[in-house]
Amino acid sequence: MKEEKIKEKTDKIYEFLSSEKIKNAVKVQSEIIRSAGEFLRKEGFIEIFPVIISPITDPLADPNVKISFSLYGYPYQITKSMIFHKQISLLSLEKMFTFSPNLRIEPEEKKDSGKHLFEFTQLDLEVRNARREEILSLGERLLVHIIKSVKESSKKELDFFRRKLKIPKTPFGKVKFKDVYQKYQKNYEDLLSRELGEPVWLIDFPIEIREFYDREDKSQPGYLVDMDLIFPEGYGEALSGGEREFEYEKILKRIQRKNIDLSYFSFYLEIAKKGLYPSAGFGIGIERLTRYICGIERIEETKLFPKIPGEFSL
Ligand code: ASN
């Protein structure tokens, strides 16, 4: 990069880091992290360290979109999500959570969406032998606890953002993906979110549009026992999760159905053959949650070193 360009970028970063806005957002974010950990520990969860590199990670929509390299002669990828490590960690633990940095190469067009960063952190959790209902209730109680705590401890910061945040009413409403898609079509997430005054669960996604690891519903073949949580007021998707496939044969079939090269998942498949527990869980994006709680328009204003798709980032 030319020296002039470096100076120009540095000026922008310096100004951003010195602003009141980022200072207040990071203070709220710190309280979000603290109160989430406090709630989960009380519920019996154990926090584990995040995994940064591994031979296996979430394939997301396309397993070929990845950052991979070889180290000591072995192939590694940077974590896109810790979905498999969460599931595998349940061999040791009954309930786990982690604040997991995820790197996802988002297309450049998403830089103006207000809600995409190519490096973000999710609070990812998983519970052995859990069903979706239990995880929905946990997600609701977690969100309510975080919002109550932040309203109490970060009044000054929320006033700075002029944010009058309501404590959501539980239980949250539930809508089926099929019905929402029929009504709003492709842009369903934004359109639904803009109409909402309270968070809503979007449930039962069709098998073709999700990754292979969420469990197919026996009573509704072709649909999954999974969910997203949609924030109100246009803030969009908050979290994703579901019950998981855990039986070797079923996992194998689901990977094959996606036409994914089995060698990507050889370690995971070997572990599944030895036995995984049934489980369910979700991951909630911390920057998106900060954006919603503070009422910030652009996600890059929620963290100190934001990674904006297509842009140089420190
Ligand atoms: N964390 C999500 C889950 O638990 C997976 C993801 O981030 N893609 O289902």
Side-chain angles (χ1 to χ4, degrees), residues 156-210:
K156 241 180 45 208
E157 288 76 21
L158 291 181
D159 284 349
F160 172 86
F161 290 109
R162 300 205 172 87
R163 184 66 164 149
K164 306 243 175 300
L165 193 61
K166 279 192 306 191
I167 294 167
K169 285 196 248 3
T170 58
F172 301 168
K174 275 190 220 133
V175 282
K176 284 186 188 257
F177 175 88
K178 198 169 56 180
D179 300 332
V180 169
Y181 195 84
Q182 203 166 43
K183 183 164 174 201
Y184 300 105
Q185 303 290 305
K186 210 163 169 260
N187 203 15
Y188 67 89
E189 183 194 316
D190 278 341
L191 297 175
L192 171 67
S193 177
R194 269 182 236 155
E195 276 189 8
L196 297 175
E198 294 276 334
V200 152
W201 294 109
L202 195 53
I203 59 167
D204 297 356
F205 284 74
I207 203 163
E208 304 80 41
I209 68 161
R210 296 285 258 204

Side-chain angles (χ1 to χ4, degrees), residues 228-247:
D228 275 4
L229 180 71
I230 307 294
F231 282 134
E233 304 171 61
Y235 287 97
E237 184 202 312
L239 71 74
S240 275
E243 291 182 20
R244 317 300 183 187
E245 296 292 0
F246 62 97
E247 292 145 306

Side-chain angles (χ1 to χ4, degrees), residues 148-160:
K148 274 189 184 159
S149 304
V150 171
K151 276 179 79 91
E152 253 175 58
S153 65
S154 310
K155 207 181 161 311
K156 241 180 45 208
E157 288 76 21
L158 291 181
D159 284 349
F160 172 86

Side-chain angles (χ1 to χ4, degrees), residues 58 60 81 83 86 104 122 124 213 240-241 244 282-283:
D58 198 326
L60 300 176
S81 103
I83 183 69
K86 289 200 302 178
R104 300 182 182 177
Q122 58 173 325
D124 229 351
Y213 45 74
S240 275
R244 317 300 183 187
F282 63 70

Side-chain angles (χ1 to χ4, degrees), residues 14-32:
Y14 199 93
E15 191 189 334
F16 169 69
L17 291 174
S18 314
S19 70
E20 278 304 300
K21 199 168 183 184
I22 189 61
K23 188 167 98 187
N24 283 294
V26 170
K27 277 190 173 170
V28 172
Q29 191 161 78
S30 172
E31 182 55 26
I32 291 173

